[in-house]
Amino acid sequence: MANFQAFRGVVIMIDDFLIDEKGGNVGCYKLITLDNGYGAVVNFVVSPNTYFVDHVTLNIGDRVTGFYDGNAPVPLIFPPQFRAIVMARDTRYENVKVDFFNDELISSDNSLRLNIGPNTKIVLENNQLFNQSPANRNLIVVYGATTKSIPAQTTPSKIIVMC
């Protein structure tokens, strides 16, 4: 099971990332560097399989959150370099959480409980409708306001099921 971690920062660099010596995939992989404004810098390797919430195109200066698997091996270099699983451009009234949600739709860190509403759109990563229960799956959740309870509760606007 993936251990989803997040890093939020401002995009300070976007560059091509070479993954093989022959250059067969030039331009297919990107290296996106984020600075959180407190001295921490992280490089995200973005592959063709990286999911971009709302299919946005990132630009230098955008405030974004990158999600990665905290259990995945990483090279011992500075700045840290993670394989991006999900990238989300931060917006004022929208939050994004990537996590495993159990049969009660509570996140694995017990910080968020989902209440599916009639306007909650549930789709696959390819934007096709998902007609099953999203419980017991890895989900990308797009939501607005939450309650102040523990866990916080929200009715998400969109749930993307990661199959």
Side-chain angles (χ1 to χ4, degrees):
M1 183 165 88
N3 171 21
F4 294 104
Q5 300 293 315
F7 184 86
R8 175 174 287 132
V10 174
V11 177
I12 59 172
M13 185 182 75
I14 300 173
D15 208 353
D16 287 338
F17 185 72
L18 206 59
I19 63 160
D20 64 24
E21 295 175 9
K22 297 178 184 175
N25 290 312
V26 173
C28 293
Y29 290 77
K30 300 289 183 186
L31 190 67
I32 297 179
T33 304
L34 302 183
D35 182 341
N36 73 352
Y38 299 102
V41 175
V42 165
N43 287 328
F44 280 103
V45 176
V46 174
S47 76
N49 295 327
T50 301
Y51 183 81
F52 283 79
V53 175
D54 296 329
H55 305 289
V56 297
T57 300
L58 299 182
N59 296 298
I60 292 175
D62 286 346
R63 178 166 278 289
V64 302
T65 302
F67 296 89
Y68 60 95
D69 183 353
N71 293 335
V74 295
L76 293 174
I77 58 174
F78 183 81
Q81 182 173 294
F82 302 113
R83 288 181 174 258
I85 297 171
V86 176
M87 299 292 286
R89 182 170 28 204
D90 295 352
T91 59
R92 191 171 185 170
Y93 299 107
E94 202 172 71
N95 302 298
V96 176
K97 181 161 184 72
V98 180
D99 206 344
F100 177 84
F101 287 81
N102 67 17
D103 58 343
E104 296 179 22
L105 293 174
I106 298 174
S107 63
S108 68
D109 62 1
N110 202 37
S111 67
L112 189 64
R113 181 186 184 122
L114 307 180
N115 298 317
I116 307 297
N119 294 328
T120 301
K121 185 176 180 183
I122 305 175
V123 296
L124 296 169
E125 290 175 288
N126 61 10
N127 211 36
Q128 299 306 301
L129 292 177
F130 184 77
N131 298 320
Q132 305 298 316
S133 168
N136 293 313
R137 298 178 185 270
N138 291 325
L139 305 175
I140 303 166
V141 180
V142 181
Y143 63 97
T146 64
T147 63
K148 293 185 180 187
S149 61
I150 298 176
Q153 295 186 39
T154 189
T155 303
S157 58
K158 187 175 190 179
I159 297 173
I160 300 106
V161 178
M162 302 171 71
C163 289

